[in-house]
Structure formats: structure tokens, C-alpha cells
Amino acid sequence: MFRATNSTSNAGRFLCRRVVRRSGLAALLLIGAGLIISWFVAGALIAPAQHIVGSPPSNLSAETISLESDSGATISGWHVQTDDAKGVVVLVHGIRGSRRAMVRRAELLRANGYCSVLIDLQGHGESSGDQITVGHLERHDVRAAVEYARREHPGQPIGVIGVSLGGASALLASPLGIDAIVLESVYSDIDRAINNRVAASLGPLAWLPAQLLLIQLKPRLGVSPSELRPIDHLAGVGCPVFLISGSDDYHTTAAETAEMFERAQEPKELWMVAGAAHVDLLAASPEVYSKRVIRFLDKHMSRTPLNGQSAE
């Protein structure tokens, strides 16, 4: 009786160890598969989004320009001028877009007396570049565009309108010595940006896939998550800030935008576009967008002082 009981106990322990080993092996295989899948997913996310942009719309009368950026890329763009300009605004598109996505804003600005400079970020549109770096290298492209605007419009106020990646790049490049900045749907830090985007697809299962993507930043892009925190640059932009985002944006949440607004220094404005997701906010609410953005720019760019300094 004792030998039978002991044999049964040994068999149970053996079975338990086998289950543990198989479970461990299954977990390792699952993690390995996750790493492989995430590697290819990350590669697709940072792959360049280059394409032919073509000629600018005839109503803009834009000049095609080419800028050398410290990102190492040659940046393609358009320069839109108007008579008796009140200032010049640099327009920076979102991820996987191009300057053509900013044409409606350039038209709005021109109709209200502003020149504009529209660029393709490195790795986008007709600009060179091997990969998208979520703002790390793109910040140099924004600086190049601002410096071009300053050279071509000496003494005039300068503003920036940056959408999503464009706004993040502008913040990471700050301070830019400009007079006003409009930030649309801009992520606060890369950790939340990736987690939000994965969660939008996978829900509560998002944590592990998001972490597998985050650990690839350094080996792929040479930058750590701590260096991709646009929110940390808000206090030092050195100019008035207008933050805009959709109330139903699950990529850049309302809570994130509110936190960014808290970090910004006065003067500052916030507009949560009711019902809008991570979309083109000018298209989502054209009348209100036009009124509020132009009013903000007029308030901070039409004065004689340049960059907050007396012209006397």
C-alpha cells in the first residue's frame, strides 16, 4: 500500500514537472514569435513613406524649394508668398503624409495675409531619408524650414502649425525663436503614443506588444524613449501655444492633451474638437478651425515686436 502511494506521488510530480516545462517552452515560443512579429511590424511603421507629390495647386502660386537639413536629408517643399504679408507660417504634416496634406491650411493662411512654407519631412513625400524616426531626426527638418522662412522674410513674425508627427517634431526642435505655434493631435511621449495605438487595436492585450515595439527604438533608431517626450519641451517653446486635439482621439487622448496644456506657459489656448478622432481637424470643423487658428495667429503675429522683443 505504501509503495503504491509513493509511486503515485512520484508520477504526479513527474507530470507536474512536465507540464511546467511545456508551459515554459510554450511561453518562450510565444515571446519569440511576438518578438519576430513585432520586429516586422516596427519595420513597417518606420519604413519611409516617399512618393511623388507633384506640382503645387495653381491658386497658391507656390515656388518649389529644396533645403539641406541636419537630419542628413534633402527636404523638399513649397514656398507660398502673398503681398503685404503679416508673417510666414511653417506647415508640417503628420506621419506618412506630405506637404500636400497641408495645402488647405496654406490656402487659409494666404487668404488671411500669411505666407507659408510647406515641407516634406525626411523619409516622406519627395524628401530623402531612409526611415521615419517619430520626431528624432525630423526635428532638424523643422529647424531648416524655420531658418529658411527667417532668411526669406527678414524681420517678419514666424509661426508653425504642426500636425501629429509634425507638431511633435516642432516641439522636439524647440525653442525655435518663433512667435506662435499651433500643435494639432501631438503625442505627449512615445511610451503613451505606442501604447495608445496598440490598445486601439488590441484593447487590454496591448501592454506586451507595445513593450516589444518600444524596446526596438534604440537598436533601430538610435534613440531612447526618454528622448522622445515632446511634453518636456512645452515649457521652453518661448512663444504662445495653441493646442488642438479631438475629444475622441484614441491615439492622442484628451487626458494627454490636457496634461500638455498644463505644461505650456502662458499665453496658451486649448481647443478640444468635439467628436473628432485622430483626423484632419481642419476638415473635421472647417469654420471653427479657420476662425480660431487665424484669430490666434493674428493676435500673436501681427504686432510690430518680433519674437516678443521691442522693435524700438
Side-chain angles (χ1 to χ4, degrees), residues 1-3 8-9 54 69 82-83 99 103 108 113 131 151 168 172 177 194-195 201 211 227 229 274 287:
M1 184 70 178
F2 174 78
R3 286 195 297 272
T8 302
S9 176
S69 167
T82 185
D83 295 332
R99 62 190 185 270
V103 163
L108 171 65
Q131 56 190 3
R151 289 195 306 270
L172 292 171
I194 290 178
N195 275 281
S201 300
Q211 294 308 304
E227 297 174 86
R229 292 179 50 85
E287 291 186 10

Side-chain angles (χ1 to χ4, degrees), residues 47-302:
Q50 290 149 330
H51 57 272
I52 300 299
V53 175
S55 301
S58 57
N59 63 308
L60 282 182
S61 300
E63 168 195 6
T64 299
I65 61 173
S66 180
L67 310 174
E68 295 304 316
S69 167
D70 286 343
S71 69
T74 299
I75 303 303
S76 297
W78 292 327
H79 181 200
V80 180
Q81 299 201 58
T82 185
D83 295 332
D84 301 320
K86 295 186 285 187
V88 56
V89 180
V90 173
L91 299 173
V92 198
H93 61 82
I95 194 166
R96 311 201 76 78
S98 73
R99 62 190 185 270
R100 190 164 289 281
M102 306 301 284
V103 163
R104 289 189 61 190
R105 287 168 178 78
E107 292 171 341
L108 171 65
L109 291 167
R110 193 170 191 272
N112 286 274
Y114 291 97
C115 301
S116 58
V117 176
L118 301 75
I119 62 168
D120 295 337
L121 292 168
Q122 65 104 31
H124 292 79
E126 295 176 342
S127 293
S128 65
D130 297 330
Q131 56 190 3
I132 297 169
T133 69
V134 290
H136 176 57
L137 292 179
E138 292 85 353
R139 62 197 165 117
H140 300 298
D141 309 338
V142 177
R143 286 193 186 120
V146 168
E147 289 307 311
Y148 174 84
R150 187 168 286 122
R151 289 195 306 270
E152 295 297 312
H153 301 267
Q156 288 196 348
I158 300 173
V160 169
I161 298 178
V163 175
S164 192
L165 172 62
S169 302
L171 278 178
L172 292 171
S174 294
L176 290 163
I178 58 177
D179 298 88
I181 189 167
V182 179
L183 301 168
E184 303 181 33
S185 309
V186 174
Y187 77 85
S188 60
D189 63 76
I190 195 63
D191 298 71
R192 278 185 282 188
I194 290 178
N195 275 281
N196 289 346
R197 284 155 177 77
V198 177
S201 300
L202 301 180
L205 302 176
W207 183 83
L208 180 58
Q211 294 308 304
L212 293 177
L213 291 174
L214 280 167
I215 63 175
Q216 296 181 52
L217 282 174
K218 194 69 174 179
R220 281 188 177 274
L221 305 181
V223 60
S224 64
S226 63
E227 297 174 86
L228 292 173
R229 292 179 50 85
I231 190 170
D232 291 342
H233 296 258
L234 265 166
V237 294
C239 68
V241 177
F242 189 9
L243 279 159
I244 310 174
S245 194
S247 65
D248 295 348
D249 189 339
Y250 296 109
H251 289 184
T252 302
T253 65
E256 273 185 271
T257 303
E259 184 180 343
M260 293 181 76
F261 182 69
E262 287 298 316
R263 293 282 193 98
Q265 302 295 308
E266 295 286 357
K268 59 183 179 179
E269 295 183 28
L270 173 65
W271 175 34
M272 299 303 301
V273 184
H278 200 75
V279 297
D280 184 333
L281 298 176
L282 171 56
S285 186
E287 291 186 10
V288 180
Y289 180 101
S290 301
K291 181 178 179 180
R292 294 196 63 163
V293 169
I294 294 302
R295 184 176 63 192
F296 175 80
L297 295 177
D298 283 347
K299 180 178 181 180
H300 300 291
M301 290 181 61
S302 62

